[in-house]
Amino acid sequence: MPMGSRAEDGDGTEGAGPLTHVGFALAGDDGCIARARHHAADFLAGLHDEHGRDVSASTVGTTQLVVTELVTNALKYAPGPVVMELRSTGSRVEIVVGDSNPTLPSALPADPDRVGGHGLEIVRAVTQDLDIRRLAVGKRITARIALTGVCGPSPHRHAERGPRHA
C-alpha cells in the first residue's frame, strides 16, 4: 500500500486535509482495472464537488483511459501487486503507477496495421507529460493531465529515466 493510504477498496487520503492525494494497492483480481477507473473518476469528482476545482468531462475520460492503459500493462508485465496514486497538483492531475518490474516500457514504431501494443503511444498522445523512472525495486510511471481538459503534450514532456540516485 502507498504512503498513508488504505487498501484498494478504501478511499484513503494522506493526512486530514483536502482530497488531493489518494493511493491504492491493486492485487490484479477480476475487476481491479474497473475499480481503478472508478477510483480515478471518484477522485476527480471529489476535487470538483468538495474542493471547487474545475475538472472537465474530457479530463475524467482521459484520466480513466490512462489509468486503464498503465494499470493493465503493470498487471500484465510485473509480478506482484501494483500501486496507483492519484494527485492533484495545481492545474493538473497526476496518475502514478508503480510495479516491481524494472524494465522500462518503450513505444513500438508506429504501425497502423499492428493489433495491440499501442498503449504507450496512446498515453503519450493524451498526456501533457509522462515520466518513467526505474527505481531500486521496479519502476514508477507518472502521467500528468490538465484538469480543464487540455490534452496533448507540453514542450517539456516524456522523460524516460534510469536509476535515480539520491
PDB file of all heavy atoms in Angstrom, residues 31-66:
ATOM      1  N   GLY A  31     -11.765  -7.499 -12.047  1.00  0.00           N
ATOM      2  CA  GLY A  31     -12.419  -6.238 -11.745  1.00  0.00           C
ATOM      3  C   GLY A  31     -11.523  -5.151 -11.198  1.00  0.00           C
ATOM      4  O   GLY A  31     -11.978  -4.025 -11.001  1.00  0.00           O
ATOM      5  N   CYS A  32     -10.246  -5.429 -10.944  1.00  0.00           N
ATOM      6  CA  CYS A  32      -9.409  -4.396 -10.328  1.00  0.00           C
ATOM      7  C   CYS A  32      -9.128  -3.238 -11.289  1.00  0.00           C
ATOM      8  O   CYS A  32      -9.002  -2.103 -10.843  1.00  0.00           O
ATOM      9  CB  CYS A  32      -8.136  -4.970  -9.736  1.00  0.00           C
ATOM     10  SG  CYS A  32      -6.766  -5.179 -10.849  1.00  0.00           S
ATOM     11  N   ILE A  33      -9.081  -3.484 -12.581  1.00  0.00           N
ATOM     12  CA  ILE A  33      -8.863  -2.396 -13.539  1.00  0.00           C
ATOM     13  C   ILE A  33     -10.095  -1.494 -13.575  1.00  0.00           C
ATOM     14  O   ILE A  33      -9.981  -0.260 -13.566  1.00  0.00           O
ATOM     15  CB  ILE A  33      -8.499  -2.937 -14.923  1.00  0.00           C
ATOM     16  CG1 ILE A  33      -7.155  -3.678 -14.846  1.00  0.00           C
ATOM     17  CG2 ILE A  33      -8.433  -1.824 -15.964  1.00  0.00           C
ATOM     18  CD1 ILE A  33      -6.820  -4.510 -16.067  1.00  0.00           C
ATOM     19  N   ALA A  34     -11.275  -2.093 -13.550  1.00  0.00           N
ATOM     20  CA  ALA A  34     -12.511  -1.301 -13.499  1.00  0.00           C
ATOM     21  C   ALA A  34     -12.562  -0.490 -12.209  1.00  0.00           C
ATOM     22  O   ALA A  34     -12.944   0.686 -12.217  1.00  0.00           O
ATOM     23  CB  ALA A  34     -13.732  -2.202 -13.615  1.00  0.00           C
ATOM     24  N   ARG A  35     -12.156  -1.089 -11.078  1.00  0.00           N
ATOM     25  CA  ARG A  35     -12.148  -0.358  -9.811  1.00  0.00           C
ATOM     26  C   ARG A  35     -11.143   0.795  -9.863  1.00  0.00           C
ATOM     27  O   ARG A  35     -11.407   1.876  -9.334  1.00  0.00           O
ATOM     28  CB  ARG A  35     -11.847  -1.292  -8.638  1.00  0.00           C
ATOM     29  CG  ARG A  35     -13.062  -2.121  -8.237  1.00  0.00           C
ATOM     30  CD  ARG A  35     -12.895  -2.803  -6.899  1.00  0.00           C
ATOM     31  NE  ARG A  35     -11.718  -3.647  -6.772  1.00  0.00           N
ATOM     32  CZ  ARG A  35     -11.622  -4.889  -7.254  1.00  0.00           C
ATOM     33  NH1 ARG A  35     -12.631  -5.432  -7.900  1.00  0.00           N
ATOM     34  NH2 ARG A  35     -10.518  -5.578  -7.081  1.00  0.00           N
ATOM     35  N   ALA A  36     -10.010   0.573 -10.514  1.00  0.00           N
ATOM     36  CA  ALA A  36      -9.017   1.645 -10.648  1.00  0.00           C
ATOM     37  C   ALA A  36      -9.613   2.823 -11.423  1.00  0.00           C
ATOM     38  O   ALA A  36      -9.414   3.985 -11.050  1.00  0.00           O
ATOM     39  CB  ALA A  36      -7.757   1.121 -11.341  1.00  0.00           C
ATOM     40  N   ARG A  37     -10.354   2.544 -12.499  1.00  0.00           N
ATOM     41  CA  ARG A  37     -11.021   3.614 -13.264  1.00  0.00           C
ATOM     42  C   ARG A  37     -12.053   4.335 -12.398  1.00  0.00           C
ATOM     43  O   ARG A  37     -12.158   5.566 -12.437  1.00  0.00           O
ATOM     44  CB  ARG A  37     -11.713   3.037 -14.503  1.00  0.00           C
ATOM     45  CG  ARG A  37     -10.776   2.689 -15.623  1.00  0.00           C
ATOM     46  CD  ARG A  37     -11.535   2.424 -16.924  1.00  0.00           C
ATOM     47  NE  ARG A  37     -12.516   1.366 -16.820  1.00  0.00           N
ATOM     48  CZ  ARG A  37     -12.277   0.079 -17.083  1.00  0.00           C
ATOM     49  NH1 ARG A  37     -11.083  -0.299 -17.487  1.00  0.00           N
ATOM     50  NH2 ARG A  37     -13.227  -0.813 -16.967  1.00  0.00           N
ATOM     51  N   HIS A  38     -12.818   3.575 -11.612  1.00  0.00           N
ATOM     52  CA  HIS A  38     -13.822   4.185 -10.727  1.00  0.00           C
ATOM     53  C   HIS A  38     -13.150   5.052  -9.657  1.00  0.00           C
ATOM     54  O   HIS A  38     -13.647   6.138  -9.341  1.00  0.00           O
ATOM     55  CB  HIS A  38     -14.707   3.121 -10.078  1.00  0.00           C
ATOM     56  CG  HIS A  38     -15.647   2.467 -11.026  1.00  0.00           C
ATOM     57  ND1 HIS A  38     -16.672   3.148 -11.653  1.00  0.00           N
ATOM     58  CD2 HIS A  38     -15.708   1.185 -11.486  1.00  0.00           C
ATOM     59  CE1 HIS A  38     -17.328   2.317 -12.448  1.00  0.00           C
ATOM     60  NE2 HIS A  38     -16.759   1.127 -12.367  1.00  0.00           N
ATOM     61  N   HIS A  39     -12.031   4.575  -9.107  1.00  0.00           N
ATOM     62  CA  HIS A  39     -11.291   5.371  -8.128  1.00  0.00           C
ATOM     63  C   HIS A  39     -10.862   6.697  -8.746  1.00  0.00           C
ATOM     64  O   HIS A  39     -10.954   7.746  -8.108  1.00  0.00           O
ATOM     65  CB  HIS A  39     -10.059   4.622  -7.620  1.00  0.00           C
ATOM     66  CG  HIS A  39     -10.348   3.465  -6.723  1.00  0.00           C
ATOM     67  ND1 HIS A  39     -11.293   3.486  -5.726  1.00  0.00           N
ATOM     68  CD2 HIS A  39      -9.786   2.227  -6.674  1.00  0.00           C
ATOM     69  CE1 HIS A  39     -11.309   2.321  -5.094  1.00  0.00           C
ATOM     70  NE2 HIS A  39     -10.402   1.548  -5.652  1.00  0.00           N
ATOM     71  N   ALA A  40     -10.400   6.648  -9.989  1.00  0.00           N
ATOM     72  CA  ALA A  40      -9.955   7.874 -10.671  1.00  0.00           C
ATOM     73  C   ALA A  40     -11.130   8.840 -10.864  1.00  0.00           C
ATOM     74  O   ALA A  40     -11.007  10.041 -10.586  1.00  0.00           O
ATOM     75  CB  ALA A  40      -9.316   7.533 -12.013  1.00  0.00           C
ATOM     76  N   ALA A  41     -12.259   8.336 -11.326  1.00  0.00           N
ATOM     77  CA  ALA A  41     -13.438   9.193 -11.522  1.00  0.00           C
ATOM     78  C   ALA A  41     -13.918   9.767 -10.196  1.00  0.00           C
ATOM     79  O   ALA A  41     -14.262  10.963 -10.116  1.00  0.00           O
ATOM     80  CB  ALA A  41     -14.556   8.405 -12.202  1.00  0.00           C
ATOM     81  N   ASP A  42     -13.928   8.952  -9.137  1.00  0.00           N
ATOM     82  CA  ASP A  42     -14.349   9.430  -7.820  1.00  0.00           C
ATOM     83  C   ASP A  42     -13.394  10.496  -7.286  1.00  0.00           C
ATOM     84  O   ASP A  42     -13.818  11.484  -6.682  1.00  0.00           O
ATOM     85  CB  ASP A  42     -14.430   8.273  -6.819  1.00  0.00           C
ATOM     86  CG  ASP A  42     -15.585   7.321  -7.104  1.00  0.00           C
ATOM     87  OD1 ASP A  42     -16.486   7.670  -7.910  1.00  0.00           O
ATOM     88  OD2 ASP A  42     -15.573   6.213  -6.524  1.00  0.00           O
ATOM     89  N   PHE A  43     -12.098  10.299  -7.499  1.00  0.00           N
ATOM     90  CA  PHE A  43     -11.104  11.280  -7.060  1.00  0.00           C
ATOM     91  C   PHE A  43     -11.352  12.627  -7.736  1.00  0.00           C
ATOM     92  O   PHE A  43     -11.378  13.675  -7.082  1.00  0.00           O
ATOM     93  CB  PHE A  43      -9.698  10.764  -7.387  1.00  0.00           C
ATOM     94  CG  PHE A  43      -8.600  11.742  -7.069  1.00  0.00           C
ATOM     95  CD1 PHE A  43      -8.206  11.959  -5.758  1.00  0.00           C
ATOM     96  CD2 PHE A  43      -7.956  12.437  -8.076  1.00  0.00           C
ATOM     97  CE1 PHE A  43      -7.182  12.854  -5.458  1.00  0.00           C
ATOM     98  CE2 PHE A  43      -6.935  13.331  -7.787  1.00  0.00           C
ATOM     99  CZ  PHE A  43      -6.549  13.539  -6.478  1.00  0.00           C
ATOM    100  N   LEU A  44     -11.555  12.605  -9.048  1.00  0.00           N
ATOM    101  CA  LEU A  44     -11.800  13.848  -9.783  1.00  0.00           C
ATOM    102  C   LEU A  44     -13.131  14.483  -9.382  1.00  0.00           C
ATOM    103  O   LEU A  44     -13.227  15.712  -9.268  1.00  0.00           O
ATOM    104  CB  LEU A  44     -11.737  13.591 -11.288  1.00  0.00           C
ATOM    105  CG  LEU A  44     -10.349  13.196 -11.814  1.00  0.00           C
ATOM    106  CD1 LEU A  44     -10.429  12.766 -13.266  1.00  0.00           C
ATOM    107  CD2 LEU A  44      -9.351  14.322 -11.626  1.00  0.00           C
ATOM    108  N   ALA A  45     -14.153  13.671  -9.151  1.00  0.00           N
ATOM    109  CA  ALA A  45     -15.442  14.200  -8.691  1.00  0.00           C
ATOM    110  C   ALA A  45     -15.277  14.877  -7.336  1.00  0.00           C
ATOM    111  O   ALA A  45     -15.867  15.934  -7.081  1.00  0.00           O
ATOM    112  CB  ALA A  45     -16.483  13.090  -8.617  1.00  0.00           C
ATOM    113  N   GLY A  46     -14.462  14.293  -6.462  1.00  0.00           N
ATOM    114  CA  GLY A  46     -14.193  14.901  -5.165  1.00  0.00           C
ATOM    115  C   GLY A  46     -13.475  16.232  -5.290  1.00  0.00           C
ATOM    116  O   GLY A  46     -13.769  17.185  -4.557  1.00  0.00           O
ATOM    117  N   LEU A  47     -12.535  16.316  -6.226  1.00  0.00           N
ATOM    118  CA  LEU A  47     -11.855  17.598  -6.451  1.00  0.00           C
ATOM    119  C   LEU A  47     -12.856  18.665  -6.871  1.00  0.00           C
ATOM    120  O   LEU A  47     -12.784  19.810  -6.434  1.00  0.00           O
ATOM    121  CB  LEU A  47     -10.778  17.455  -7.530  1.00  0.00           C
ATOM    122  CG  LEU A  47      -9.527  16.684  -7.168  1.00  0.00           C
ATOM    123  CD1 LEU A  47      -8.591  16.602  -8.379  1.00  0.00           C
ATOM    124  CD2 LEU A  47      -8.807  17.304  -5.983  1.00  0.00           C
ATOM    125  N   HIS A  48     -13.800  18.277  -7.720  1.00  0.00           N
ATOM    126  CA  HIS A  48     -14.805  19.225  -8.202  1.00  0.00           C
ATOM    127  C   HIS A  48     -15.839  19.543  -7.126  1.00  0.00           C
ATOM    128  O   HIS A  48     -16.059  20.700  -6.774  1.00  0.00           O
ATOM    129  CB  HIS A  48     -15.489  18.669  -9.453  1.00  0.00           C
ATOM    130  CG  HIS A  48     -16.559  19.561  -9.975  1.00  0.00           C
ATOM    131  ND1 HIS A  48     -17.880  19.410  -9.613  1.00  0.00           N
ATOM    132  CD2 HIS A  48     -16.500  20.622 -10.817  1.00  0.00           C
ATOM    133  CE1 HIS A  48     -18.592  20.343 -10.210  1.00  0.00           C
ATOM    134  NE2 HIS A  48     -17.789  21.092 -10.943  1.00  0.00           N
ATOM    135  N   ASP A  49     -16.478  18.512  -6.599  1.00  0.00           N
ATOM    136  CA  ASP A  49     -17.615  18.692  -5.697  1.00  0.00           C
ATOM    137  C   ASP A  49     -17.218  19.219  -4.318  1.00  0.00           C
ATOM    138  O   ASP A  49     -17.913  20.056  -3.752  1.00  0.00           O
ATOM    139  CB  ASP A  49     -18.378  17.376  -5.515  1.00  0.00           C
ATOM    140  CG  ASP A  49     -18.986  16.872  -6.817  1.00  0.00           C
ATOM    141  OD1 ASP A  49     -19.100  17.661  -7.777  1.00  0.00           O
ATOM    142  OD2 ASP A  49     -19.330  15.670  -6.864  1.00  0.00           O
ATOM    143  N   GLU A  50     -16.130  18.708  -3.780  1.00  0.00           N
ATOM    144  CA  GLU A  50     -15.759  19.058  -2.416  1.00  0.00           C
ATOM    145  C   GLU A  50     -14.776  20.216  -2.324  1.00  0.00           C
ATOM    146  O   GLU A  50     -14.674  20.862  -1.278  1.00  0.00           O
ATOM    147  CB  GLU A  50     -15.177  17.831  -1.708  1.00  0.00           C
ATOM    148  CG  GLU A  50     -16.177  16.686  -1.600  1.00  0.00           C
ATOM    149  CD  GLU A  50     -15.544  15.391  -1.135  1.00  0.00           C
ATOM    150  OE1 GLU A  50     -14.500  15.443  -0.464  1.00  0.00           O
ATOM    151  OE2 GLU A  50     -16.112  14.324  -1.453  1.00  0.00           O
ATOM    152  N   HIS A  51     -14.041  20.469  -3.396  1.00  0.00           N
ATOM    153  CA  HIS A  51     -12.983  21.474  -3.328  1.00  0.00           C
ATOM    154  C   HIS A  51     -13.104  22.547  -4.406  1.00  0.00           C
ATOM    155  O   HIS A  51     -12.218  23.387  -4.542  1.00  0.00           O
ATOM    156  CB  HIS A  51     -11.618  20.800  -3.397  1.00  0.00           C
ATOM    157  CG  HIS A  51     -11.448  19.767  -2.324  1.00  0.00           C
ATOM    158  ND1 HIS A  51     -11.322  20.086  -0.992  1.00  0.00           N
ATOM    159  CD2 HIS A  51     -11.442  18.416  -2.380  1.00  0.00           C
ATOM    160  CE1 HIS A  51     -11.231  18.982  -0.281  1.00  0.00           C
ATOM    161  NE2 HIS A  51     -11.304  17.949  -1.091  1.00  0.00           N
ATOM    162  N   GLY A  52     -14.197  22.499  -5.180  1.00  0.00           N
ATOM    163  CA  GLY A  52     -14.455  23.537  -6.160  1.00  0.00           C
ATOM    164  C   GLY A  52     -13.471  23.617  -7.309  1.00  0.00           C
ATOM    165  O   GLY A  52     -13.380  24.643  -7.976  1.00  0.00           O
ATOM    166  N   ARG A  53     -12.739  22.553  -7.553  1.00  0.00           N
ATOM    167  CA  ARG A  53     -11.763  22.556  -8.645  1.00  0.00           C
ATOM    168  C   ARG A  53     -12.489  22.376  -9.968  1.00  0.00           C
ATOM    169  O   ARG A  53     -13.479  21.655 -10.074  1.00  0.00           O
ATOM    170  CB  ARG A  53     -10.755  21.411  -8.468  1.00  0.00           C
ATOM    171  CG  ARG A  53      -9.980  21.444  -7.164  1.00  0.00           C
ATOM    172  CD  ARG A  53      -9.038  22.634  -7.029  1.00  0.00           C
ATOM    173  NE  ARG A  53      -8.067  22.704  -8.077  1.00  0.00           N
ATOM    174  CZ  ARG A  53      -6.917  22.016  -8.096  1.00  0.00           C
ATOM    175  NH1 ARG A  53      -6.609  21.229  -7.094  1.00  0.00           N
ATOM    176  NH2 ARG A  53      -6.093  22.126  -9.097  1.00  0.00           N
ATOM    177  N   ASP A  54     -12.004  23.040 -10.995  1.00  0.00           N
ATOM    178  CA  ASP A  54     -12.574  22.933 -12.332  1.00  0.00           C
ATOM    179  C   ASP A  54     -12.024  21.664 -12.981  1.00  0.00           C
ATOM    180  O   ASP A  54     -10.828  21.578 -13.273  1.00  0.00           O
ATOM    181  CB  ASP A  54     -12.193  24.170 -13.159  1.00  0.00           C
ATOM    182  CG  ASP A  54     -12.852  24.197 -14.513  1.00  0.00           C
ATOM    183  OD1 ASP A  54     -13.831  23.462 -14.718  1.00  0.00           O
ATOM    184  OD2 ASP A  54     -12.374  24.957 -15.377  1.00  0.00           O
ATOM    185  N   VAL A  55     -12.881  20.661 -13.155  1.00  0.00           N
ATOM    186  CA  VAL A  55     -12.491  19.381 -13.756  1.00  0.00           C
ATOM    187  C   VAL A  55     -13.423  19.128 -14.934  1.00  0.00           C
ATOM    188  O   VAL A  55     -14.628  18.974 -14.760  1.00  0.00           O
ATOM    189  CB  VAL A  55     -12.603  18.215 -12.744  1.00  0.00           C
ATOM    190  CG1 VAL A  55     -12.206  16.902 -13.399  1.00  0.00           C
ATOM    191  CG2 VAL A  55     -11.755  18.487 -11.504  1.00  0.00           C
ATOM    192  N   SER A  56     -12.867  19.069 -16.132  1.00  0.00           N
ATOM    193  CA  SER A  56     -13.704  18.868 -17.315  1.00  0.00           C
ATOM    194  C   SER A  56     -14.054  17.396 -17.506  1.00  0.00           C
ATOM    195  O   SER A  56     -13.357  16.501 -17.023  1.00  0.00           O
ATOM    196  CB  SER A  56     -12.987  19.387 -18.561  1.00  0.00           C
ATOM    197  OG  SER A  56     -11.928  18.516 -18.914  1.00  0.00           O
ATOM    198  N   ALA A  57     -15.134  17.150 -18.234  1.00  0.00           N
ATOM    199  CA  ALA A  57     -15.532  15.783 -18.575  1.00  0.00           C
ATOM    200  C   ALA A  57     -14.441  15.112 -19.406  1.00  0.00           C
ATOM    201  O   ALA A  57     -14.191  13.910 -19.270  1.00  0.00           O
ATOM    202  CB  ALA A  57     -16.855  15.791 -19.334  1.00  0.00           C
ATOM    203  N   SER A  58     -13.775  15.879 -20.248  1.00  0.00           N
ATOM    204  CA  SER A  58     -12.669  15.345 -21.046  1.00  0.00           C
ATOM    205  C   SER A  58     -11.549  14.829 -20.158  1.00  0.00           C
ATOM    206  O   SER A  58     -10.960  13.786 -20.424  1.00  0.00           O
ATOM    207  CB  SER A  58     -12.143  16.426 -21.997  1.00  0.00           C
ATOM    208  OG  SER A  58     -10.998  15.989 -22.663  1.00  0.00           O
ATOM    209  N   THR A  59     -11.272  15.563 -19.083  1.00  0.00           N
ATOM    210  CA  THR A  59     -10.223  15.140 -18.154  1.00  0.00           C
ATOM    211  C   THR A  59     -10.589  13.820 -17.489  1.00  0.00           C
ATOM    212  O   THR A  59      -9.736  12.947 -17.331  1.00  0.00           O
ATOM    213  CB  THR A  59      -9.971  16.218 -17.082  1.00  0.00           C
ATOM    214  OG1 THR A  59      -9.484  17.390 -17.741  1.00  0.00           O
ATOM    215  CG2 THR A  59      -8.974  15.764 -16.045  1.00  0.00           C
ATOM    216  N   VAL A  60     -11.846  13.660 -17.112  1.00  0.00           N
ATOM    217  CA  VAL A  60     -12.282  12.414 -16.478  1.00  0.00           C
ATOM    218  C   VAL A  60     -12.069  11.241 -17.444  1.00  0.00           C
ATOM    219  O   VAL A  60     -11.482  10.220 -17.084  1.00  0.00           O
ATOM    220  CB  VAL A  60     -13.752  12.495 -16.010  1.00  0.00           C
ATOM    221  CG1 VAL A  60     -14.221  11.146 -15.463  1.00  0.00           C
ATOM    222  CG2 VAL A  60     -13.928  13.587 -14.965  1.00  0.00           C
ATOM    223  N   GLY A  61     -12.526  11.389 -18.678  1.00  0.00           N
ATOM    224  CA  GLY A  61     -12.364  10.319 -19.668  1.00  0.00           C
ATOM    225  C   GLY A  61     -10.908  10.021 -19.969  1.00  0.00           C
ATOM    226  O   GLY A  61     -10.499   8.857 -20.052  1.00  0.00           O
ATOM    227  N   THR A  62     -10.108  11.063 -20.130  1.00  0.00           N
ATOM    228  CA  THR A  62      -8.684  10.875 -20.430  1.00  0.00           C
ATOM    229  C   THR A  62      -7.976  10.214 -19.251  1.00  0.00           C
ATOM    230  O   THR A  62      -7.153   9.313 -19.444  1.00  0.00           O
ATOM    231  CB  THR A  62      -8.025  12.224 -20.772  1.00  0.00           C
ATOM    232  OG1 THR A  62      -8.683  12.790 -21.908  1.00  0.00           O
ATOM    233  CG2 THR A  62      -6.550  12.055 -21.082  1.00  0.00           C
ATOM    234  N   THR A  63      -8.302  10.638 -18.047  1.00  0.00           N
ATOM    235  CA  THR A  63      -7.694  10.044 -16.857  1.00  0.00           C
ATOM    236  C   THR A  63      -8.047   8.561 -16.761  1.00  0.00           C
ATOM    237  O   THR A  63      -7.171   7.723 -16.501  1.00  0.00           O
ATOM    238  CB  THR A  63      -8.140  10.800 -15.586  1.00  0.00           C
ATOM    239  OG1 THR A  63      -7.718  12.162 -15.700  1.00  0.00           O
ATOM    240  CG2 THR A  63      -7.561  10.171 -14.333  1.00  0.00           C
ATOM    241  N   GLN A  64      -9.295   8.217 -17.009  1.00  0.00           N
ATOM    242  CA  GLN A  64      -9.689   6.805 -16.957  1.00  0.00           C
ATOM    243  C   GLN A  64      -8.987   5.992 -18.043  1.00  0.00           C
ATOM    244  O   GLN A  64      -8.598   4.846 -17.803  1.00  0.00           O
ATOM    245  CB  GLN A  64     -11.201   6.676 -17.065  1.00  0.00           C
ATOM    246  CG  GLN A  64     -11.908   7.149 -15.804  1.00  0.00           C
ATOM    247  CD  GLN A  64     -13.407   7.001 -15.901  1.00  0.00           C
ATOM    248  OE1 GLN A  64     -14.038   7.519 -16.822  1.00  0.00           O
ATOM    249  NE2 GLN A  64     -13.983   6.296 -14.953  1.00  0.00           N
ATOM    250  N   LEU A  65      -8.802   6.554 -19.217  1.00  0.00           N
ATOM    251  CA  LEU A  65      -8.075   5.870 -20.286  1.00  0.00           C
ATOM    252  C   LEU A  65      -6.629   5.607 -19.875  1.00  0.00           C
ATOM    253  O   LEU A  65      -6.114   4.488 -20.023  1.00  0.00           O
ATOM    254  CB  LEU A  65      -8.115   6.703 -21.576  1.00  0.00           C
ATOM    255  CG  LEU A  65      -7.233   6.210 -22.722  1.00  0.00           C
ATOM    256  CD1 LEU A  65      -7.725   4.869 -23.247  1.00  0.00           C
ATOM    257  CD2 LEU A  65      -7.189   7.251 -23.833  1.00  0.00           C
ATOM    258  N   VAL A  66      -5.969   6.625 -19.337  1.00  0.00           N
ATOM    259  CA  VAL A  66      -4.569   6.476 -18.919  1.00  0.00           C
ATOM    260  C   VAL A  66      -4.449   5.467 -17.784  1.00  0.00           C
ATOM    261  O   VAL A  66      -3.551   4.614 -17.795  1.00  0.00           O
ATOM    262  CB  VAL A  66      -3.972   7.849 -18.547  1.00  0.00           C
ATOM    263  CG1 VAL A  66      -2.607   7.700 -17.886  1.00  0.00           C
ATOM    264  CG2 VAL A  66      -3.873   8.736 -19.794  1.00  0.00           C
TER     265      VAL A  66
END
